[in-house]
Amino acid sequence: MATTHTPEIVIVGSGFAGFFAARRLARRLPRGAANVTVVSTSDHLCYSPLLPEVAAGTLDAQRVAVPLHGALGSARIVRGLVEDVDMDARTVRVVGAADRSFDLPWDRLVLTTGSVTRVLPTPGLREHALGLKTLLEAQYVHDHVLRQLECADTTTDPAERDARLTFLVVGAGYAGTETAAQLQTQTERLMSRFPRLAGLHPTWMLLDLSPTVLPELGPRLGRYALKVLRARGMQVRLGVSVASMSDDGVTLTDGSQVPTRTVLWTVGVTPPPLVQRLALPVERGRLVVDAHLRVRDDVWAAGDSAGAPNPYGDPGTAYPPTAQHAQRQGEVIADNVAASLGHGRAREYRHHDLGLVADLGGRWAVARPLGVPLTGLLAKAVAKGYHLYAIPSMAARARIGADWLLGLWHRPPAAQLDLVRPEQAQIPAAQHTQEFAGGSTAR
């Protein structure tokens, strides 16, 4: 008697798009209708909008990690890095534990590879810059900043002390601005715990070639954010960036030199190298998909690595690479994959932007829910409320909310866990873009 083939659905990536695609498929498909496999380098969804708070120490790293096991129904979770996809043989080549390679067959393929930090050919960048795209990087940044305060407290050399207390953040978009703002707030609160630093203030610098900060929020809110940051003592230098980095500091594009031991690199994102190896159409580095998020027959893509056409923008433009769109695109892909198997109907991806929020630390924030510009405490409440709503875990919501309430009365603990080695925190290693070379970020 002939056996019936059960379709194999392989989802590459466990970011917002991949997570929500797998979770919706578990609800859309009848039991036994298909086998769903999620291939990911981690066993959790990282709620990346709150990584600045992990780096600042206001949230524990586990608070923003939503486990895949249990959250995605009966989906199989395969830990590993996708090395290649054979479109003809319909297999995915995965490098797993102990560098063991194996192939996974697929009948339906969902590419939700996410994005990685854009690394420019800046001398010294790969050896000295720290990223903030993963939980590993956020945890290392937290420990690294505390380490600089300790070193500044113990040194007898005023020049070294000043360099240890100088922190550069390159990139004034969401990640850079929020990270600089929240870390500045927390380091100021922690200075009193280091007796020899009493009366001193850490120097925080935010750099960007752009003429504005937070350009995604529009000029009005960008100006407000800039005013808040400068009023708090942050040096915001626009129209300038880093020309080179060394053990002792950085040289800026205007020729000036800044002695420092900390450079946080947040200049934007780009699809991972896998996307370029797939021999599929790309535009501006992102996979070309149609309104149904389809790349070709039985292959779909979503999230940061897919350029979904935006009917609400200028002709030829794609939706921006944000978590908001990635989540909703993942759900649409799930419906379309299910429809291709005879369950439900396919639909196009259409989504009006619900607005953006940026937490500036302390009682400051900016937000634009549904196009309405907000600042101050009201924007802060909207930002906190949005994150509690968006993270897909009731347990995480409860723990994050409790941590935020506790933080109103208590400073975060000034404790380094030292769980991440310096070579692991280098951007190529942390984000799996290539095997890391030698060098150390521990300065």
Side-chain angles (χ1 to χ4, degrees), residues 250-271:
V250 302
T251 300
L252 305 184
T253 52
D254 62 3
S256 59
Q257 295 186 337
V258 181
T260 182
R261 302 295 186 270
T262 307
V263 180
L264 304 184
W265 186 262
T266 63
V267 298
V269 296
T270 186

Side-chain angles (χ1 to χ4, degrees), residues 69-202:
H69 295 286
L72 303 183
S74 61
R76 175 191 179 196
I77 311 302
V78 174
R79 291 285 302 276
L81 180 67
V82 172
E83 189 176 55
D84 199 9
V85 177
D86 190 325
M87 294 294 172
D88 297 324
R90 293 193 168 215
T91 58
V92 171
R93 172 56 59 91
V94 181
V95 180
D99 292 331
R100 182 176 64 89
S101 297
F102 55 93
D103 290 333
L104 291 175
W106 56 267
D107 298 291
R108 304 291 188 274
L109 179 64
V110 177
L111 299 169
T112 57
T113 59
S115 58
V116 295
T117 298
R118 180 181 291 113
V119 176
L120 303 179
T122 303
L125 188 153
R126 291 175 180 268
E127 296 80 14
H128 301 293
L130 301 175
L132 197 71
K133 196 75 174 64
T134 67
L135 273 174
L136 181 148
E137 290 172 303
Q139 184 63 58
Y140 185 83
V141 167
H142 171 260
D143 290 351
H144 172 84
V145 169
L146 286 177
R147 191 175 304 117
Q148 303 317 301
L149 297 184
E150 286 184 347
C151 291
D153 187 55
T154 57
T155 185
T156 57
D157 181 353
E160 181 184 354
R161 181 197 61 200
D162 292 344
R164 297 283 185 184
L165 293 179
T166 298
F167 304 91
L168 262 68
V169 180
V170 187
Y174 276 104
T177 302
E178 286 194 316
T179 299
Q182 300 217 29
L183 278 167
Q184 183 203 30
T185 300
Q186 294 308 322
T187 50
E188 285 283 0
R189 296 177 71 186
L190 291 171
M191 291 291 279
S192 62
R193 296 189 175 182
F194 299 90
R196 297 179 64 189
L197 301 183
L200 300 178
H201 299 279

Side-chain angles (χ1 to χ4, degrees), residues 195-234:
R196 297 179 64 189
L197 301 183
L200 300 178
H201 299 279
T203 298
W204 281 90
M205 298 179 64
L206 180 62
L207 313 178
D208 202 303
L209 288 172
S210 170
T212 61
V213 302
L214 295 172
E216 304 92 337
L217 280 169
R220 175 182 172 183
L221 293 180
R223 288 193 298 269
Y224 175 86
L226 179 61
K227 180 180 178 181
V228 166
L229 295 176
R230 284 179 168 164
R232 281 165 34 184
M234 184 177 296

Side-chain angles (χ1 to χ4, degrees), residues 15-25 45 72 326-327 330-331 334 390 392:
F16 284 94
F19 179 93
F20 282 95
R23 192 172 76 163
R24 194 173 183 91
L25 277 170
L45 161 71
L72 303 183
Q327 171 184 337
E331 293 175 341

Side-chain angles (χ1 to χ4, degrees), residues 396-420:
R397 291 169 188 163
R399 294 183 180 114
I400 290 170
D403 283 354
W404 282 341
L405 288 175
L406 186 63
L408 296 176
W409 291 278
H410 298 279
R411 289 173 292 185
Q416 302 170 51
L417 300 181
D418 291 326
L419 298 176
V420 183

Side-chain angles (χ1 to χ4, degrees), residues 305-387:
S305 59
N310 182 2
Y312 307 111
D314 295 331
T317 60
Y319 285 102
T322 65
Q324 180 183 147
H325 287 296
Q327 171 184 337
R328 288 162 177 79
Q329 288 174 8
E331 293 175 341
V332 169
I333 275 186
D335 289 346
N336 294 345
V337 171
S340 76
L341 297 173
H343 304 281
R345 300 177 61 181
R347 60 191 179 106
E348 295 183 351
Y349 179 71
R350 291 178 175 271
H351 176 64
H352 281 290
D353 201 316
L354 297 180
L356 304 167
V357 299
D359 192 326
L360 302 179
R363 59 184 178 85
W364 294 278
V366 289
R368 197 183 62 195
L370 301 176
V372 180
L374 301 175
T375 61
L377 290 176
L378 183 56
K380 189 80 169 186
V382 169
K384 297 295 189 186
Y386 172 78
H387 291 313

